[in-house]
Amino acid sequence: QSVLTQPPSVSGAPGQRVTISCTGSSSNIGAGYDVHWYRQLPGTAPKLLIYGNNNRPSGVPDRFSGSKSGTSASLAITGLQAEDEADYYCQSYDSSLSVSWVFGGGTKLTVL
Amino acid sequence: EVQLLESGGGLVQPGGSLRLSCAASGFAFTSYAMSWVRQAPGKGLEWVSTLSGSGGNTYYADSVKGRFTISRDNSKNTLYLQMKSLRAEDTALYYCAKEFGGYYEDWGQGTLVTVSS
């Protein structure tokens, strides 16, 4: 059971907009810690997609955006493309009990 | 260009030991905290351990505390993970990752650890 909760799967047609939620608690997202997002294409290492809640690293298209509110965060992808089909993970920091960096369980995005 | 190259994975029996290495290049190694993140087959990402740039501060997930030791040799730009008392549930692809601001800017390709008799 992951500390951050993501839907196991989402889907959308090419050109559509999809969102992936990441729900935490008062010891992580709700405590003010930043949320970061990664994309993992099949058989490859994760790649940073969004950092600091809503910032895109160089090279990441502006179709990808992040937001955070309260104890949750979201990743939005607009203009869905076939190559967006991948696993997406949120990540934050949790201060309960001991120091730890935490990930969501991951969401499989299927482009229909 | 940042490069992180993991090595040292393999098949080990339960209770055995293994040392993973991560050779880093393309950035000022001593200026960055480094982490190990693992992914069990077909599962999600799990943070394992983090080491500060100076090597003075170490952090471990509860699942590996007391069994794994993270270290670095800044003269060789190399990160290590010494794993002892390995269990079946430690079977995973182990990624080395460069950390900045609480997130992982760069990742290696991973090295596979299989714990099985």
Side-chain angles (χ1 to χ4, degrees), chain A residues 34 36 38 40 43-48 50-52 87 89 91-92 97-106, chain B residues 35 37 39 43-47 50 59-62 65 93 95 99 101-110:
Chain A
D34 286 342
H36 320 291
Y38 304 87
Q40 186 175 35
T44 69
K47 178 184 174 184
L48 181 66
I50 296 287
Y51 67 93
D87 293 323
Y89 294 90
Q91 177 246 318
S92 187
L97 299 178
S98 59
V99 169
S100 64
W101 287 257
V102 290
F103 287 93
Chain B
S35 297
V37 177
Q39 186 170 33
K43 303 296 184 181
L45 302 172
E46 180 190 15
W47 169 74
T50 294
Y59 309 92
Y60 298 95
D62 288 344
K65 199 172 293 183
L93 188 60
Y95 293 104
E99 186 191 324
Y103 57 90
Y104 305 107
E105 282 189 313
D106 298 281
W107 299 67
Q109 287 306 301

Side-chain angles (χ1 to χ4, degrees), chain A:
Chain A
Q1 196 80 339
S2 301
V3 172
L4 304 179
T5 301
Q6 298 179 233
S9 63
V10 298
S11 62
Q16 285 189 331
R17 178 181 186 269
V18 296
T19 62
I20 298 173
S21 61
C22 175
T23 303
S25 66
S26 59
S27 64
N28 41 68
I29 299 175
Y33 295 114
D34 286 342
V35 178
H36 320 291
W37 293 89
Y38 304 87
R39 176 166 77 170
Q40 186 175 35
L41 297 170
T44 69
K47 178 184 174 184
L48 181 66
L49 198 60
I50 296 287
Y51 67 93
N53 305 316
N54 55 12
N55 299 288
R56 284 175 285 105
S58 173
V60 174
D62 58 7
R63 300 188 298 108
F64 296 89
S65 63
S67 63
K68 173 188 155 183
S69 178
T71 59
S72 295
S74 289
L75 173 71
I77 308 173
T78 59
L80 205 57
Q81 300 178 3
E83 53 263 37
D84 295 331
E85 188 160 293
D87 293 323
Y88 292 81
Y89 294 90
C90 61
Q91 177 246 318
S92 187
Y93 181 89
D94 190 285
S95 57
S96 65
L97 299 178
S98 59
V99 169
S100 64
W101 287 257
V102 290
F103 287 93
T107 299
K108 170 67 177 178
L109 169 62
T110 300
V111 180
L112 302 171

